[in-house]
Amino acid sequence: MAVTIKDIAKRAGVSYSTVSRALNGIGTENTEKRRHIVELAEEMGYVRNQAAVNLKLSRSYVIGLYFSTISKMTSPFVLHDVLTGVYSIVGSKYNVVVKGIDMYEPGTLNPSFYDGIIVLSQRNSDSSFMDEVLEKKIPMVVICRTVYVDAPNVTTDEANAMERAMDYLIDNGHRKICVIEGGPQLDSTRLRHRGWQTSARKHGLDPDLIPMISGNYRYASGYQGAKVLLEHKPTAILCFNDEMAFGAREAIAEAGLKVPDDVSLIGFDNWDLSGYNSMRLTTVERSMSEIAKEGTRVLLRRLEDGIEDKSRIFLENKLIIRDTVKDIREKH
């Protein structure tokens, strides 16, 4: 029986993906580890799949990274995290071309230009683009939201994560809560909306009576949204991402109030500044870098080893508790 990458991984005591990257010169494994894996493969008599080798001869070594939109809805922090996540896996072997689906013209995809495409999808209207990718038989992975297409999908359960964030506010005694959501056309917004509303009902609150305003995931919309919502005198504001939460904090400070003494605050995403800024924001961790890394690994298994994996992969969201939620329950 032919020796497989899985056999080598078991013998070396490392993961399948580590062996794949080592044999293909991809990623950041140290030189000694890579040399050991290559020597072990030779010792075990590993022979590469010739069909996969032949396929590589016609490679462009370009991966397309398509966002639903670059200019309107994608936070620069998300863009940075996804791009660095992708490059941490592909290393220098592939070039990554970043584009927005909103700038793509139907029928213009050239299958000879891309070895594969990663789609960070945020809205239902991306489906026509993904249909064209599949029609032209370009290997594709979809990340960020759940989609039902003939391609692998890496995402998280955003509804459940936002439900837990709202639970945390309510469990700490908050009933006068306001919400700053994202753009209503985005799947992330709809999922997070469902999550906080589920929590409210579970705790006997009427979601329709909770003041809510739509932002666009940017700092300014968090600031403007909070200025409006502060008129309701909330004890807490739930924000659909960290960038808007930082904008909300600015509005809270301008009103002469403090976080969390007067108004508690929760964000979503856990971007880099959230834990190191003086505010130390309580937030939901949805690591776009890890989502991008896993999606890239799945794509490279297809490109390097000819392994098609069309599974739906869910990564965990965590509630990161820091300093911006005050416990206002009455102490007896």
Side-chain angles (χ1 to χ4, degrees):
M1 183 179 291
V3 175
T4 68
I5 289 179
K6 290 183 179 179
D7 297 326
I8 301 169
K10 185 175 180 180
R11 178 88 170 269
V14 297
S15 68
Y16 171 94
S17 57
T18 297
V19 174
S20 179
R21 290 196 298 272
L23 295 179
N24 289 291
I26 299 171
T28 57
E29 269 72 38
N30 63 59
T31 304
E32 186 175 341
K33 180 187 288 186
R34 178 173 288 150
R35 185 185 302 114
H36 171 68
I37 291 172
V38 171
E39 290 175 352
L40 186 59
E42 292 176 354
E43 177 188 320
M44 295 174 67
Y46 171 71
V47 178
R48 294 192 182 206
N49 183 305
Q50 191 58 45
V53 173
N54 291 339
L55 180 63
K56 291 176 188 177
L57 297 177
S58 59
R59 289 280 189 86
S60 66
Y61 290 94
V62 174
I63 289 176
L65 177 57
Y66 275 82
F67 291 76
S68 290
T69 171
I70 295 295
S71 59
K72 295 179 181 178
M73 292 179 291
T74 299
S75 162
F77 302 102
V78 170
L79 182 66
H80 172 267
D81 284 352
V82 170
L83 192 56
T84 54
V86 170
Y87 265 117
S88 73
I89 301 301
V90 302
S92 59
K93 187 168 185 177
Y94 290 86
N95 292 312
V96 180
V97 175
V98 180
K99 291 193 174 186
I101 294 175
D102 55 334
M103 296 182 286
Y104 130 90
E105 296 181 9
T108 60
L109 273 180
N110 184 346
S112 65
F113 186 75
Y114 296 114
D115 285 348
I117 288 178
I118 299 170
V119 179
L120 191 152
S121 179
Q122 296 172 289
R123 54 188 182 178
N124 290 333
S125 57
D126 298 337
S127 59
S128 58
F129 172 79
M130 291 186 280
D131 287 343
E132 183 173 340
V133 175
L134 292 173
E135 181 183 334
K136 292 185 174 177
K137 302 187 184 308
I138 305 172
M140 176 178 72
V141 174
V142 183
I143 64 174
C144 190
R145 75 181 183 96
T146 301
V147 294
Y148 298 94
V149 297
D150 192 25
N153 189 195
V154 182
T155 185
T156 64
D157 190 342
E158 295 180 65
N160 177 264
M162 190 56 84
E163 180 181 345
R164 284 185 282 130
M166 188 69 159
D167 284 345
Y168 185 66
L169 286 177
I170 297 172
D171 289 343
N172 278 276
H174 295 276
R175 293 295 184 274
K176 297 180 67 176
I177 302 169
C178 292
V179 182
I180 303 177
E181 298 198 340
Q185 72 274 42
L186 300 181
D187 261 21
S188 287
T189 299
R190 289 190 284 269
L191 290 168
R192 297 175 197 185
H193 175 84
R194 183 197 307 162
W196 76 256
Q197 290 215 331
T198 297
S199 173
R201 293 190 186 95
K202 182 171 62 180
H203 291 278
L205 299 178
D206 184 348
D208 294 334
L209 298 180
I210 293 177
M212 182 272 293
I213 197 164
S214 291
N216 63 5
Y217 290 107
R218 297 297 177 86
Y219 182 97
S221 70
Y223 170 79
Q224 295 294 343
K227 285 180 73 71
V228 173
L229 292 174
L230 284 173
E231 296 176 4
H232 296 275
K233 302 189 183 306
T235 63
I237 298 177
L238 178 67
C239 297
F240 272 29
N241 78 338
D242 290 357
E243 189 173 343
M244 291 195 298
F246 274 79
R249 183 190 65 163
E250 181 68 20
I252 292 168
E254 282 188 7
L257 303 172
K258 293 183 178 180
V259 176
D261 294 346
D262 302 303
V263 183
S264 291
L265 202 57
I266 289 187
F268 198 105
D269 283 338
N270 194 32
W271 51 278
D272 289 347
L273 290 177
S274 301
Y276 298 102
N277 187 278
S278 60
M279 179 168 66
R280 286 186 44 81
L281 180 67
T282 294
T283 184
V284 174
E285 182 179 65
R286 182 187 66 146
S287 175
M288 290 306 303
S289 176
E290 291 304 317
I291 293 171
K293 287 178 183 178
E294 185 61 27
T296 306
R297 292 185 189 107
V298 172
L299 182 61
L300 290 188
R301 285 198 291 269
R302 168 80 181 276
L303 299 182
E304 301 295 329
D305 304 307
I307 298 174
E308 292 193 49
D309 180 1
K310 297 179 181 177
S311 61
R312 189 165 290 110
I313 301 169
F314 283 90
L315 302 184
E316 182 183 2
N317 291 311
K318 298 178 182 177
L319 180 63
I320 308 298
I321 297 172
R322 296 194 180 103
D323 302 334
T324 58
V325 175
K326 182 179 180 180
D327 186 345
I328 61 172
R329 291 171 294 182
E330 292 185 6
K331 300 297 190 294
H332 298 285

